Amino acid sequence: VQLDGDLRVHVVLLAACPFDLSPAESPFTDGGVSTSAFRTIPWSERRQPVRIRKIRGRIVLAIVLVGCIPLVIGLGLAYVSGMQSLRDVIGGNLQAVAVQAADRVTMLVQGEVRNARLLASAPLRVRLPVQVANSDYPPDQESARLLFGHRALLWEQGGDHAASLLNAELSRFLLETKIRDGERVIGIMILDRYGALVAASSEPDKYFFGNESWWSTLGIGGERLYLSGRIPAEEGVFKASDETLMIAVPILDDRQQQM
């Protein structure tokens, strides 16, 4: 519009104006401004694009949910099944390992029991020295108790009696046997009929064992084998840094009687 020599232009933003500009009715004419250039857009027509977008969003959401629900269920079932299979495999492996370990321990103990019985049956190496030690006691038991009580006192004092036992030929033989058996054997000792020490591969914790429960089991009870439970570290007849087992067998004569 030309006003007093100044050119002023009114800019209409159609995107933000609720009016419809008809192609046949232009707001600018050669002679001035037309008052019928704009048409009001009904509210219902303006809401239609919003409704279409909402419907499209709901359709997309429904499609996603329909596809995700089976996927989530499938993943959950696969996870549960996989964890169950994994637990079964781990449990089966652990059980197999435990059975194998128990079998190895059983075979090891049986082998050591067999070796102990073979050692106890050696006529010259073991039975003859034990027979000599038994015959060295007085005939009456009271005098015999006084004798091995005196020897036990000498052992605690660490005198020549203890050194002579550990350096005897039978003790050296037991040490060689222990070395030959390897680290499985901590120590070997041989006792007489009263439970007093005759020989040992290394120094035991004491000299007299006649008052021990395992000695009563073999002597009075007449059992042919004593197998202890697990002995804690640094305990037992021979001190060791690990847990140990104690195996005791009687020494029998030719008539299978205890010597």
Side-chain angles (χ1 to χ4, degrees):
V1 179
Q2 186 74 27
L3 294 177
D4 299 333
D6 294 332
L7 179 62
R8 297 180 182 180
V9 179
H10 294 273
V11 179
V12 180
L13 301 180
L14 299 181
C17 185
F19 297 97
D20 184 18
L21 182 60
S22 174
E25 299 176 351
S26 174
F28 302 101
T29 62
D30 293 337
V33 178
S34 175
T35 57
S36 62
F38 299 98
R39 180 178 60 88
T40 303
I41 300 176
W43 181 255
S44 59
E45 293 183 9
R46 295 200 302 268
R47 289 176 54 92
Q48 287 180 358
V50 178
R51 292 181 180 178
I52 293 174
R53 286 195 297 270
K54 289 184 178 180
I55 294 173
R56 289 178 179 175
R58 292 174 182 175
I59 293 175
V60 172
L61 179 62
I63 293 175
V64 171
L65 291 177
V66 170
C68 288
I69 291 176
L71 178 61
V72 172
I73 295 175
L75 290 176
L77 294 177
Y79 173 79
V80 173
S81 178
M83 291 300 297
Q84 183 63 37
S85 300
L86 184 60
R87 284 194 294 267
D88 294 340
V89 171
I90 294 176
N93 291 338
L94 292 178
Q95 184 177 3
V97 170
V99 171
Q100 292 177 1
D103 292 341
R104 286 196 297 268
V105 172
T106 301
M107 293 177 61
L108 177 62
V109 172
Q110 290 177 349
E112 295 303 327
V113 170
R114 182 173 60 254
N115 293 338
R117 284 173 173 168
L118 289 175
L119 180 63
S121 63
L124 297 178
R125 288 287 192 176
V126 176
R127 288 165 58 183
L128 182 60
V130 172
Q131 185 177 359
V132 172
N134 289 337
S135 62
D136 193 31
Y137 287 101
D140 60 299
Q141 293 188 354
E142 186 63 28
S143 299
R145 291 193 183 93
L146 293 176
L147 179 59
F148 62 67
H150 176 68
R151 291 176 176 174
L153 181 61
L154 294 176
W155 174 272
E156 293 177 358
Q157 295 175 354
D160 295 337
H161 179 66
S164 63
L165 284 179
L166 295 177
N167 294 326
E169 181 180 358
L170 180 56
S171 294
R172 292 196 298 269
F173 170 72
L174 295 180
L175 179 58
E176 294 174 358
T177 303
K178 172 187 174 299
I179 295 174
R180 185 174 63 250
D181 290 342
E183 297 181 353
R184 298 190 307 270
V185 179
I186 304 300
I188 306 173
M189 67 179 183
I190 295 177
L191 310 178
D192 59 23
R193 62 178 177 175
Y194 289 104
L197 187 66
V198 176
S201 61
S202 57
E203 184 176 354
D205 62 337
K206 56 185 177 180
Y207 174 81
F208 181 69
F209 298 89
N211 54 2
E212 298 289 336
S213 59
W214 57 266
W215 176 261
S216 301
T217 301
L218 293 175
I220 301 175
E223 297 291 336
R224 297 300 176 92
L225 172 65
Y226 172 81
L227 180 62
S228 72
R230 293 188 300 176
I231 301 175
E234 303 299 335
E235 295 186 14
V237 176
F238 298 99
K239 300 297 185 292
S241 58
D242 299 322
E243 293 182 337
T244 56
L245 295 176
M246 180 178 179
I247 300 173
V249 296
I251 300 175
L252 306 177
D253 57 16
D254 294 334
R255 294 174 297 176
Q256 296 299 306
Q257 298 296 323
Q258 293 191 21
M259 298 179 62

